[in-house]
Each structure stands twice: as C-alpha cells, then as structure tokens.
Amino acid sequence: NGFGTGSGAGGAGLSTIWPAQEYQNGPGTQNAYSNGKRQVPDVSANADSKAGFIIYTTDPQTCPRVTSSAASSCFMATGGTSVAAPIWATAATLTNQRLTNAGYPKLGFANPLIYRLAQTNPAIFHDVTTGHNCYDVSCDGTTDPRYPATVGYDLATGIGTFDASAFGDAVLGNLPHITGTTPTTGSDSGGTLVTFTGVNFQQGTTVSFGGVPATNVRVVDDKTITAVTPPRPGGAVDIEIVTGGIRFVLTNGYTYSAQAAPLAPSSPSSPVPTASLPSPAAVSPTATSTPAPAATPTPKKFKVANTDGEGANLRDKPDMKTGKIITIVVEGTDVQVTGPAVSADGGSWYPVQVTGKSGFMRAEYLSPVSG
C-alpha cells in the first residue's frame, strides 16, 4: 500500500515459534524488527485486485457481486494470494522444465537459492522501497505502518518481486556442476585424497564412494572439493556427491585396487576427467588385470557416526522394515566391519560385530577409524 491507502495489505511479520533461518541473510535481513525469529515474507508479487488480473468466472454468486447483474458468468479482476502464489508457481514450473531438460533435478526447497540469488544476481528482483503493509486506512506517513518497505529485504515485500525469465537463467547459472575427478583410482585400504573440480560448490557437501561416506570432506572454495576415500573391496564404484541440494552420481567414477597404480605428475596440459549429468560417462579402471576372488576380509575398525547423538541400529538383516533390531549402538562406539558392503533396501549396509553381537548396519552411520 501507499501511505493513506486502505482496503488491503500483504501479510508479514515475525514468527513466534520458528527461529531465524540460516539461509535468510543479505541486505535488510537484519533490521529494526529482527528478534531472532523467522521473518516473512521471502518474496512478493502483484496482488492488488484493483490493478490485478482479468479472469473469467462461471460462479453464479461471484458475478452478481462484482458486476451488479444477475449474469451467471463474467470477466472480473482479481488479486490477492490467489494470484501472487500462482505467479511464483508458474515461474517455478517453467524453471523446473529447463532444469530437467539440462539434466538437473527440480528446484525442491528453493529458499536458500532465492536468497543467494538476491545477492549474486540482484537485477532479477525488483526491490520495492516505498509503501507499507498497514491495512488501516488511517495509516499515513506519521504513523507506524508496521511494516514499511525499505531498500533490500523488508517485512512488507521480502526480497521483492521478480523477472521470471531472468530468474530461470540465474537458477541454471548458479547451480553446482562437477567437471573433474582426480585421481580416479586408489588403494582398497582407502586413505586416498580425491579432488573434485567444478563450479558453485556449497558448504555442507557430502561425498560417498560405493555408498560408504568419505572422510575429511572439505569444500576448499566454490570450485574445489576434497575428500578421503574409505576402505572398500577392489573394483569400480559410483561416487555420490551432494552439494547445494543437488545430488550427482559419477557412475563407476572411482576404482579400488589391491595396490594403487602410481599417479602421474600433474601438468597444466593434462586432460581433466569430466562428469556429465545426470549420469556421467563411466571412468575406465586404470588396473587392467581382473582381481582374484577376495579372501575372507580382515575385520576393519569403524566408528558409529552421523546419528545426531541418537545411535545406530544393529539389525539381524539389511532391511529397515523387516530387519529386527538387535541393539542400538551409541554414537562414537568402535565396531568391526567383517565383510564387504551389500546393497539392500535402497542403501548400502555393512556386516559388523560389536560387543559380541553380529548384524548389519547402514553405511552412512559408519566412519572408518585410521590405523
């Protein structure tokens, strides 16, 4: 609303329950009203019914109300959330279409990306800097409008309105992309430092080799990720990387061998292994000999991890639904992995022994212990 205008306003304010979100940052997000709680809105769109959108309705109750006639169908102007929300939904749908055509997953939870784009691509948003969201017609320039529009984020219009086409361009241009993996082979005892190159990598990245989490995962910068391989039986495995909310699978992207092949010195002219999306081309193993059948593996020490302090279930078979829980193993407890991982129930499982009990445990809750 402009000052002195009533008959409608946008909803906004501060949550009384939910805390401020980590992604909600940038110019204006810390303001005179901020109190550590979630701030809304995130974005806005034109919702003024007086300058809104013309629709055709066949509601026999609506037409008499808006046209002062007994017509059973009519054109009418409308606004409000019934218009603003579909505007954003349409833009998201068109953006998702472009993403899937390019081999990416759909937007999903877009809030972190939207706030990041507001800082890296501010031109795609129209910052609303005048007016307020006071509903009372008595509001004017001397009263507290609760809340005023300001430069940057504000509690009246959020980041602002947007250019839908430019938004789609910016989303595609700001998503992570993996272009190289070095090295692509290493010892089956693990411990190899692998470097991934690309663009738009985000903190909080996870990496796994053949379903087993890597250790010491580090986002060096937005173009480089490093991770240390976990121990695995010999052979080619998929690498899974999740960064910026996007999951990449490098099919057969890394090969374990009983004795790691020596690495050639790097040089600027050396070709960089590439990974296409969503299913990168397989990386040829550098070891040409076929490994002999594995003997009974020597038990390896792992530690229960990544359970947020809740502990991990040891089950009598690798299945979340039908596998009975033998015991709950406290986070930080050492366990012995007694064999190779098995794929079951949508994930990888290890046969383990702990405190005299044997069973299966999900790979994501195990972290190798060096030495």
Side-chain angles (χ1 to χ4, degrees), residues 214-225:
T215 58
N216 299 326
V217 178
R218 180 172 172 242
V219 180
V220 179
D221 53 38
D222 64 347
K223 298 179 178 63
T224 310
I225 298 169

Side-chain angles (χ1 to χ4, degrees), residues 64-255:
R65 187 169 68 249
V66 300
T67 64
S68 301
S69 72
S72 59
S73 63
C74 62
F75 286 97
M76 59 175 286
T78 190
T81 308
S82 297
V83 168
I87 289 174
W88 270 96
T90 300
T93 300
L94 293 173
T95 301
N96 282 339
Q97 184 179 54
R98 296 178 63 181
L99 289 172
T100 53
N101 287 342
Y104 283 99
K106 296 178 182 179
L107 274 174
F109 183 59
N111 288 23
L113 178 61
I114 288 173
Y115 278 89
R116 190 164 76 245
L117 291 179
Q119 298 181 63
T120 60
N121 301 68
I124 68 176
F125 294 97
H126 307 302
D127 188 10
V128 182
T129 60
T130 61
H132 56 81
N133 68 342
C134 180
Y135 182 80
D136 192 335
V137 72
S138 67
C139 289
D140 58 37
T142 64
T143 62
D144 177 11
R146 202 57 178 274
Y147 300 93
T150 62
V151 174
Y153 177 89
D154 55 67
L155 290 165
T157 62
I159 293 169
T161 61
F162 72 121
D163 180 321
S165 178
F167 176 77
D169 291 340
V171 169
L172 281 169
N174 279 268
L175 288 177
H177 189 84
I178 297 169
T179 58
T181 306
T182 306
T184 57
T185 187
S187 170
D188 59 3
S189 62
T192 302
L193 181 69
V194 178
T195 299
F196 303 97
T197 54
V199 294
N200 299 319
F201 295 152
Q202 303 294 318
Q203 295 297 326
T205 293
T206 62
V207 179
S208 63
F209 291 80
V212 182
T215 58
N216 299 326
V217 178
R218 180 172 172 242
V219 180
V220 179
D221 53 38
D222 64 347
K223 298 179 178 63
T224 310
I225 298 169
T226 60
V228 176
T229 60
R232 288 277 299 167
V237 297
D238 295 347
I239 305 173
E240 179 181 287
I241 303 170
V242 180
T243 184
I246 307 297
R247 175 179 176 267
F248 298 91
V249 177
L250 311 184
T251 305
N252 293 333
Y254 188 83
T255 301

Side-chain angles (χ1 to χ4, degrees), residues 273-306:
T274 58
S276 59
L277 297 174
S279 297
V283 179
S284 299
T286 57
T288 57
S289 61
T290 302
T296 302
T298 301
K300 296 179 179 179
K301 184 182 291 185
F302 279 63
K303 186 183 295 291
V304 175
N306 309 315

